[in-house]
Structures are given as C-alpha cells and as structure tokens.
Amino acid sequence: VPQDFSLAAKWMRMSAEQGDRLGQYNFGMIALFGKGVPASDAEAAKWLRLSAEQGFARAQDELAVMYSNGTGVPQDDRAAVEWATMAAEQGDPKAQYHLGFFLCCKLPNTVPYDPVGASVWFELAAAAGDPKSPYFITMLRSQMTATQLAEVERRVKEWQRGHPTHAQH
C-alpha cells in the first residue's frame, strides 16, 4: 500500500471522533506534525487532551510537554507536572524523564525545586533504558546529602514494589 498521510489522517480522525483514546492520540500527533492535515498545535492539544483524560500515558506525557513549552496551550508548569505525573506513575519512561526534568532543571520554572523527587523519576527512567537520565542522576547525586540519597533509594524501591511489571533488577 502506498504511503498516504491524508488517508491515514482521515481514518485516525474517524477513530478519534468515536472516542478511541489511541485514535485521539494518533490524530493529535498527526495534527502536531502536520502529516496529512495542516499542522495545528491547538488541534493537537485538543485531541491529546481527550486521549490523556482517558488515561493514555503517551498522550499525558505529550500534553505535559506542550504545557511546559506553551505549545497549543497556555504555558503552565504546574499543569505540565500534573500531566507528567499521571504518565510517570503508569511507568512511561519518557514521562518519568520529563517529570524529573520539570522538578529540577527547567528554567524558568514556577514549580518548586525538588532534587529528591527529580532523582527518583530519573532513576526510574534510567532503569527503563532512558539514555538522558544518567547525566541528571550524576549531577543531582553530587549535590545531595546522605539522607537525601537514602530517601531517593527508598522511594525508588517503594515505586518498584508497587509497579512490579516496571521494576528493573
């Protein structure tokens, strides 16, 4: 079958309009990148939000990044953290990385600096294979006390116990 982005967009939109969260996510991404439809950040945000509200982790993470950057939605670091947290809690490594970044490193940032929380999410993302997290883990560890490091370890183990299918040994 020849590649046809317009036809793919038509079918994805139909799926999205029927309330399918994967269809909403896919059509949101199509709209974001302008594949088969005109690129529209606002249209992408609309469909990604619908998918995210149904609990789809990839949509929640994309929406978090959009809020962080103010792409298609008003810039809002708190909303970015809320959406990233929902996806990270489901074990999405990209969301775990983004949440760690939002908690420690994004500038300007209206979210309180939380090196322990950031480290927890970077550790979990790294355990799932995220290639960018180890840099931030090293940076944050170098600035933490023994008590903070122990708290990171405790929280990581606690999360892994509660999410055995995502735990890396």
Side-chain angles (χ1 to χ4, degrees):
V1 176
Q3 192 173 47
D4 184 340
F5 288 118
S6 295
L7 186 58
K10 173 187 168 190
W11 288 107
M12 286 299 164
R13 184 175 190 106
M14 287 173 54
S15 174
E17 288 172 344
Q18 291 177 25
D20 179 71
R21 70 185 195 165
L22 184 56
Q24 292 165 338
Y25 168 78
N26 286 330
F27 189 72
M29 296 305 289
I30 286 170
L32 186 64
F33 293 108
K35 298 289 186 174
V37 296
S40 169
D41 295 339
E43 186 76 0
K46 169 189 161 185
W47 292 105
L48 289 169
R49 174 180 293 284
L50 289 169
S51 179
E53 287 172 347
Q54 292 190 64
F56 194 57
R58 283 186 279 167
Q60 291 169 338
D61 182 52
E62 288 295 335
L63 198 55
V65 172
M66 292 178 86
Y67 271 108
S68 176
N69 296 329
T71 304
V73 295
Q75 197 286 329
D76 184 339
D77 288 330
R78 284 177 174 67
V81 167
E82 289 173 18
W83 285 111
T85 299
M86 288 183 235
E89 284 290 348
Q90 293 183 62
D92 185 285
K94 281 179 63 180
Q96 291 169 338
Y97 167 81
H98 288 136
L99 183 54
F101 187 80
F102 297 157
L103 295 175
C104 80
C105 307
K106 183 181 180 295
L107 296 174
N109 193 346
T110 59
V111 176
Y113 177 67
D114 181 3
V116 171
S119 294
V120 168
W121 293 113
F122 283 134
E123 291 280 352
L124 292 167
D130 179 75
K132 297 177 278 186
S133 291
Y135 166 80
F136 292 98
I137 292 168
T138 301
M139 178 194 65
L140 290 168
R141 280 185 184 170
S142 72
Q143 301 168 10
M144 297 174 90
T145 66
T147 302
Q148 289 173 313
L149 291 168
E151 178 63 12
V152 169
E153 185 175 335
R154 184 193 69 74
R155 287 192 202 174
V156 167
K157 287 180 181 176
E158 180 180 299
W159 190 91
Q160 289 173 331
R161 275 193 303 277
H163 301 80
T165 58
H166 296 286
Q168 302 291 317
H169 302 287

